[in-house]
C-alpha cells in the first residue's frame, strides 16, 4: 500500500512526535547513550518552544510507560485546582461556566514536576543534557511554523490591547513574526538557564540537581513570579470581563506529580493501557469492550459499515464519560461496571442500523440521582448547534474554529533496552493566558473542564483534578510492551486513536498505513471545553473516504461534515516486534510530525 512516508524500521531506537525538531532532539539523547525516558523529556521541552500554540511550560501531561526495570505505570502530571478555586469564588463573578482562557481557568502547572520525576526515577542523563536543546531553540531561534505565525497574527490586536506580556513576547517590535523565519524567546531561555544554574550550583549529584530544579519551579523564583503575576493582574478572558486568577505560590509548593496503576482491558490478543477516569482514557477501553462482539475484521477499514459501528460505539462510551467520570480521589467512578462484558453487551444492543441523535448514558444502580443531575445540567448549559461552536481546544480538524484556539502535542519513544513511553503534553498555549513577563510563558486553562454546578463528578473543588482529554496509549502482547501511540485533538483523541488501533489490529496495516487512511470523528456529545457545545448526530469525515462511503453514511442518518483530505488527526505511533524490530510512524497532516530511528 502506498504511504506518504516510509514506516521507520530499526533496532537501536525510535522517536516520533508532533514536530521534527522534537523528534530529532529525542533521538540525539538515544545516540548519546540515553534511554527512552531521557529522550521523551528532551523532546517534550523542545515542543514547548517550537509548538507554543499547542503546549507550554506551565501545562500538563499524562504519561503511560513500560519500564524494563519496573513494568507498566501511569505518571499523572495533571495539576489540581488551587485552594481558592471554590464554587463561591467563581459564582461571585456571575459565571455559569469557567472561561476557556484567561487566569480563572488555571490549575497548578503539572508537566514540569512530571518530567522531573520521569527523568529522576527512570532516566539516566543529567538535567543539562535534556534541557540544552530547548534552551538552544529558545535562545538562538527556530524556524516558526506557519500555523504559529497565523495564530499570533490573528491575536495581534488582542495581545496589544489586553495582554501586554504576550505582545512583548510574540510581537517583537510590534509586528507579528513571519512564518519559516527564526523566532526567539530569550526570556524563556533565561528562565530555563536559571533553573539549570540553580540546580547545578546546589549539587553535582544528578538526582539532587533534579530535586533542586523542582524547588526552583514550585517553591523558588518561578513560583514566586507566578504568584506575583496572578495577584497583581486582571486579565481579559472570553467572558468579556477581566478577572484575577486564584492560583498561588502556596498551591504550587504543596503539589507534585504522582505515579499510579494503569487502567487496562484485553482486546484480540492485546492488553491496552490507559490513564484512569481523571482522563478520558476509559472511553477507549469501554469502546473496545462494546466492539468485542462485532466482527470488524470482515469490514473494510474505510467502509461505511466500519465507520458507522465505531462511531455509534464511541457515542455510547462518551455519554457514559459525561455522567460518570471524574477525579477518583474525590468521586466514586464505577469503572468495573463500565468496562464489564455484561454491561457493554446490553449497551451494544443500542447500536442499530441508523445513527443515534440522542445522548444515551447507561444506568448503573446507585448512580441514578447523579445521572439525572448531569443530564439536567447538560440540557441546561451545553450548547446544541447544527453549525458547531468554538471550543478552547478544538483540533486542527475543526476548520470552522478560529486559529486563535489551542491544541496539544504527543511523543512516543522506544529504546533498545525495551523501555517504551507514550506522552501527551498540552496546556499553557500562547493563546490561552497572558505571558508572565519575568518567565516568558503563560499559564494553563485546564480548569475550564470543571462544572460550576453542585453534585456532579466534575464539579469544581480545591485540590481536585479536572477531567482532562489528554490520553496517551500503550499496548502489550503476552505481557510485553509492543505499541505506543497517541494524538493531539481534545475530545477527538480517543476517536482517531481507535481508528488507527482497529485498522492495525484487524486489518494488519502497518503503522504508517493505518495513520494515512482517511479519518473521522463525531461531536455528538458535549465538548470538554468552554462553551461545552455539542452537535447531535454529527460526523466529520475526510473527503478521501470517497463519495459512495460518505453518501452511505448520510443515508444511515449521520449529519455529515465533509472535511478536506489530510485535515483530520495528528497521530504518531511506535512499536516493537517479538523479534526486536522497532517501527515508528507519524502523520503527514499539518506537515509537522516526524518519526526518526535506526
Amino acid at each position: 500500500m502506498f504511504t506518504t512516508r516510509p514506516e521507520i524500521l530499526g533496532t537501536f531506537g525510535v522517536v516520533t512526535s508532533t514536530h521534527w525538531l522534537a523528534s530529532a532532539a529525542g533521538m540525539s539523547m538515544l545516540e548519546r547513550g540515553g534511554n527512552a525516558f531521557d529522550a521523551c523529556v528532551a523532546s517534550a521541552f523542545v515542543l514547548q518552544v517550537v509548538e507554543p500554540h499547542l503546549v507550554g511550560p506551565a501545562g500538563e501531561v499524562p504519561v503511560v510507560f513500560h519500564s524494563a526495570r519496573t513494568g507498566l505505570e501511569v505518571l499523572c502530571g495533571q495539576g489540581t485546582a488551587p485552594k481558592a478555586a471554590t464554587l463561591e469564588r467563581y459564582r461571585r463573578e456571575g459565571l455559569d461556566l469557567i472561561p476557556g482562557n484567561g487566569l480563572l481557568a488555571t490549575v497548578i502547572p503539572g508537566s514540569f514536576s512530571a518530567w522531573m520525576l520521569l527523568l529522576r526515577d527512570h532516566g539516566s542523563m543529567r538535567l543539562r543534557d535534556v534541557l540544552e536543546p530547548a534552551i538552544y531553540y529558545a535562545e538562538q531561534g527556530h524556524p516558526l511554523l506557519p500555523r504559529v505565525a497565523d495564530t499570533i497574527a490573528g491575536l495581534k490586536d488582542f495581545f496589544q490591547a489586553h495582554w501586554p506580556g504576550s505582545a512583548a513576547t510574540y510581537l517583537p517590535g510590534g509586528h507579528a513574526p513571519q512564518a519559516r523565519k527564526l523566532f526567539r524567546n530569550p526570556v524563556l531561555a533565561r528562565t530555563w538557564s536559571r533553573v539549570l544554574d540553580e540546580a547545578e550550583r546546589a549539587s553535582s549529584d544528578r538526582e539532587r540537581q533534579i530535586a533542586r530544579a523542582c524547588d526552583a519551579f514550585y517553591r523558588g523564583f518561578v513560583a514566586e513570579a507566578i504568584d506575583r503575576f496572578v495577584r497583581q493582574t486582571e486579565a481579559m478572558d472570553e467572558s468579556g470581563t477581566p478577572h484575577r486568577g486564584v492560583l498561588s505560590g502556596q498551591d504550587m509548593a504543596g503539589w507534585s506529580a504522582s505515579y499510579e496503576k494503569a487502567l487496562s482491558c484485553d482486546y484480540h490478543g492485546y492488553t491496552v493501557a490507559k490513564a484512569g477516569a481523571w482522563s478520558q482514557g476509559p472511553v477507549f477501553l469501554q469502546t473496545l469492550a462494546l466492539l468485542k462482539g462485532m466482527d470488524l475484521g470482515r469490514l473494510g477499514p474505510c467502509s461505511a459499515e466500519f465507520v458507522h459501528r465505531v462511531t455509534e460505539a464511541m457515542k455510547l462510551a462518551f455519554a457514559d464519560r459525561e455522567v460518570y467520570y471524574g477525579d477518583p480521589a474525590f468521586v466514586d467512578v464505577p469503572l468495573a461496571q463500565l468496562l464489564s462484558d455484561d454491561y457493554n453487551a446490553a449497551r451494544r444492543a443500542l447500536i442499530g442500523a441508523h445513527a443515534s441523535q440522542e445522548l444515551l448514558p447507561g444506568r448503573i444502580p446507585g448512580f441514578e440521582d447523579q445521572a439525572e443531575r448531569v443530564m439536567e445540567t447538560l440540557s441546561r448549559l451545553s450548547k446544541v448547534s447544527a453549525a458547531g461552536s468554538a471550543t478552547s481546544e478544538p483540533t486542527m480538524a475543526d476548520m470552522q474554529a478560529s486559529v486563535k484556539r489551542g491544541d496539544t502535542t504527543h511523543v512516543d519513544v522506544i529504546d533498545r533496552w525495551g523501555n517504551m513511553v507514550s506522552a501527551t503534553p498540552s496546556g499553557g498555549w500562547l493563546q490561552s493566558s497572558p505571558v508572565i513577563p519575568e518567565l516568558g510563558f503563560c499559564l494553563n486553562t485546564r480548569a475550564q473542564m470543571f462544572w460550576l454546578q453542585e453534585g456532579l463528578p466534575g464539579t469544581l473543588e480545591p485540590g481536585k483534578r479536572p477531567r482532562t482529554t489528554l490520553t496517551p496509549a500503550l499496548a502489550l502482547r503476552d505481557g510485553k510492551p509492543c505499541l505506543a501511540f497517541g494524538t493531539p485533538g481534545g475530545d477527538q483523541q480517543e476517536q482517531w486513536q481507535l481508528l488507527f488501533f482497529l485498522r492495525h489490529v484487524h486489518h494488519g496495516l502497518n503503522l504508517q498505513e493505518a495513520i494515512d487512511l482517511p479519518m473521522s470523528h463525531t461531536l455528538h456529545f458535549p465538548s470538554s471545553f468552554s462553551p461545552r457545545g455539542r452537535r447531535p448526530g454529527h460526523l466529520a469525515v475526510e473527503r478521501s473516504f470517497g463519495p459512495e462511503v460518505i453518501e452511505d453514511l448520510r443515508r444511515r442518518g449521520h449529519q455529515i461534515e465533509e472535511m478536506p483530505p489530510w485535515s483530520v488527526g495528528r497521530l504518531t505511533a511506535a512499536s516493537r516486534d517479538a523479534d526486536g524490530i522497532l517501527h515508528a510512524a507519524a502523520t503527514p497532516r499539518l506537515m509537522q510530525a516526524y518519526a526518526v530511528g535506526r
Side-chain angles (χ1 to χ4, degrees), residues 343-380:
Y343 177 80
N344 286 291
R347 298 283 278 155
R348 191 182 305 123
L350 297 174
I351 299 174
H354 296 281
S356 173
Q357 308 297 313
E358 300 178 72
L359 193 67
L360 297 171
R363 292 296 186 258
I364 295 178
F367 290 82
E368 294 89 350
D369 290 344
Q370 175 177 304
E372 185 175 337
R373 286 193 301 271
V374 171
M375 294 302 287
E376 189 277 331
T377 300
L378 294 177
S379 175
R380 184 162 51 90

Side-chain angles (χ1 to χ4, degrees), residues 152-224:
I152 295 170
L155 286 161
K156 179 182 177 183
D157 293 344
F158 181 82
F159 280 176
Q160 291 176 330
H162 300 292
W163 292 358
S166 299
T169 301
Y170 290 106
L171 300 170
H175 304 289
Q178 295 182 49
R180 298 187 175 89
K181 300 294 184 180
L182 287 181
F183 178 81
R184 299 172 177 85
N185 188 342
V187 179
L188 177 58
R190 289 196 295 271
T191 296
W192 289 143
S193 295
R194 182 175 172 183
V195 169
L196 181 58
D197 181 60
E198 291 191 10
E200 291 182 335
R201 282 193 289 110
S203 175
S204 60
D205 178 76
R206 190 185 84 92
E207 292 190 8
R208 289 180 181 176
Q209 287 181 359
I210 293 169
R212 184 65 190 90
C214 277
D215 285 340
F217 194 96
Y218 288 94
R219 290 163 286 278
F221 80 95
V222 175
E224 291 168 1

Side-chain angles (χ1 to χ4, degrees), residues 141-366:
H142 57 94
L144 195 67
L145 292 168
R147 200 166 173 80
V148 183
D150 290 344
T151 300
I152 295 170
L155 286 161
K156 179 182 177 183
D157 293 344
F158 181 82
F159 280 176
Q160 291 176 330
H162 300 292
W163 292 358
S166 299
T169 301
Y170 290 106
L171 300 170
H175 304 289
Q178 295 182 49
R180 298 187 175 89
K181 300 294 184 180
L182 287 181
F183 178 81
R184 299 172 177 85
N185 188 342
V187 179
L188 177 58
R190 289 196 295 271
T191 296
W192 289 143
S193 295
R194 182 175 172 183
V195 169
L196 181 58
D197 181 60
E198 291 191 10
E200 291 182 335
R201 282 193 289 110
S203 175
S204 60
D205 178 76
R206 190 185 84 92
E207 292 190 8
R208 289 180 181 176
Q209 287 181 359
I210 293 169
R212 184 65 190 90
C214 277
D215 285 340
F217 194 96
Y218 288 94
R219 290 163 286 278
F221 80 95
V222 175
E224 291 168 1
I226 291 173
D227 181 277
R228 188 162 47 247
F229 182 79
V230 173
R231 281 188 290 105
Q232 297 176 356
T233 305
E234 277 194 336
M236 180 63 70
D237 59 47
E238 66 180 14
S239 72
T241 303
H243 293 102
R244 295 187 188 275
V246 295
L247 178 66
S248 72
Q250 186 178 10
D251 292 316
M252 294 182 63
W255 187 86
S256 174
S258 58
Y259 296 105
E260 59 187 54
K261 291 183 178 180
L263 191 67
S264 65
C265 80
D266 295 332
Y267 183 83
H268 285 263
Y270 289 83
T271 298
V272 183
K274 286 279 189 175
W278 53 270
S279 76
Q280 64 177 340
V283 168
F284 189 98
L285 305 182
Q286 185 181 349
T287 308
L288 291 181
L290 285 161
L291 295 172
K292 280 182 182 178
M294 301 182 186
D295 185 7
L296 296 181
R298 69 175 180 81
L299 305 176
C302 294
S303 66
E305 182 70 16
F306 177 83
V307 174
H308 171 75
R309 291 194 186 191
V310 173
T311 301
E312 294 305 296
M314 292 295 277
K315 288 179 182 178
L316 296 174
F318 273 107
D320 282 344
R321 181 192 75 167
E322 295 306 308
V323 169
Y324 297 110
Y325 290 17
D327 185 349
F330 281 74
V331 297
D332 182 16
V333 184
L335 284 174
Q337 293 96 320
L338 289 170
L339 300 181
S340 70
D341 289 340
D342 289 345
Y343 177 80
N344 286 291
R347 298 283 278 155
R348 191 182 305 123
L350 297 174
I351 299 174
H354 296 281
S356 173
Q357 308 297 313
E358 300 178 72
L359 193 67
L360 297 171
R363 292 296 186 258
I364 295 178

Side-chain angles (χ1 to χ4, degrees), residues 326-583:
D327 185 349
F330 281 74
V331 297
D332 182 16
V333 184
L335 284 174
Q337 293 96 320
L338 289 170
L339 300 181
S340 70
D341 289 340
D342 289 345
Y343 177 80
N344 286 291
R347 298 283 278 155
R348 191 182 305 123
L350 297 174
I351 299 174
H354 296 281
S356 173
Q357 308 297 313
E358 300 178 72
L359 193 67
L360 297 171
R363 292 296 186 258
I364 295 178
F367 290 82
E368 294 89 350
D369 290 344
Q370 175 177 304
E372 185 175 337
R373 286 193 301 271
V374 171
M375 294 302 287
E376 189 277 331
T377 300
L378 294 177
S379 175
R380 184 162 51 90
L381 292 178
S382 67
K383 302 181 186 300
V384 176
S385 170
S389 56
T391 67
S392 288
E393 192 191 52
T395 67
M396 45 78 65
D398 193 351
M399 305 302 283
Q400 304 303 316
S402 166
V403 293
K404 300 174 186 177
R405 303 298 186 168
D407 203 342
T408 299
T409 64
H410 189 78
V411 184
D412 300 304
V413 189
I414 307 175
D415 64 28
R416 64 190 186 275
W417 298 291
N419 299 304
M420 186 176 294
V421 190
S422 178
T424 309
S426 186
W429 319 299
L430 68 86
Q431 60 273 49
S432 66
S433 186
V435 168
I436 300 169
E438 294 176 64
L439 301 176
F441 63 80
C442 58
L443 297 172
N444 64 77
T445 53
R446 198 59 59 171
Q448 67 182 287
M449 295 180 173
F450 286 117
W451 291 98
L452 297 179
Q453 289 68 40
E454 294 179 351
L456 308 181
T459 297
L460 176 69
E461 294 182 63
K464 191 176 187 178
R465 287 174 289 187
R467 189 208 69 206
T468 181
T469 54
L470 307 175
T471 175
L474 192 147
L476 303 89
R477 296 198 79 166
D478 301 321
K480 297 180 181 179
C482 65
L483 177 64
F485 58 102
T487 179
D491 293 309
Q492 282 80 321
Q493 289 181 33
E494 298 295 25
Q495 302 186 61
W496 298 335
Q497 289 184 46
L498 190 72
L499 289 173
F500 159 80
F501 180 74
L502 294 173
R503 288 163 170 171
H504 181 61
V505 171
H506 288 290
H507 303 100
L509 300 180
N510 72 33
L511 303 185
Q512 194 66 49
E513 289 169 344
I515 285 173
D516 280 0
L517 285 186
M519 289 284 167
S520 66
H521 64 261
T522 179
L523 303 178
H524 172 81
F525 47 85
S527 170
S528 297
F529 299 88
S530 176
R532 313 304 280 263
R534 63 177 292 248
R535 298 172 64 179
H538 168 270
L539 181 61
V541 293
E542 288 183 315
R543 292 195 186 100
S544 43
F545 273 102
E548 291 184 3
V549 169
I550 293 173
E551 187 54 36
D552 191 336
L553 289 166
R554 230 182 229 109
R555 286 195 298 269
R556 294 168 189 260
H558 296 280
Q559 307 301 309
I560 296 296
E561 180 181 10
E562 294 190 35
M563 311 296 289
W566 309 111
S567 69
V568 174
R570 293 185 63 202
L571 286 151
T572 69
S575 66
R576 181 186 180 94
D577 286 348
D579 58 5
I581 295 178
L582 306 180
H583 306 242

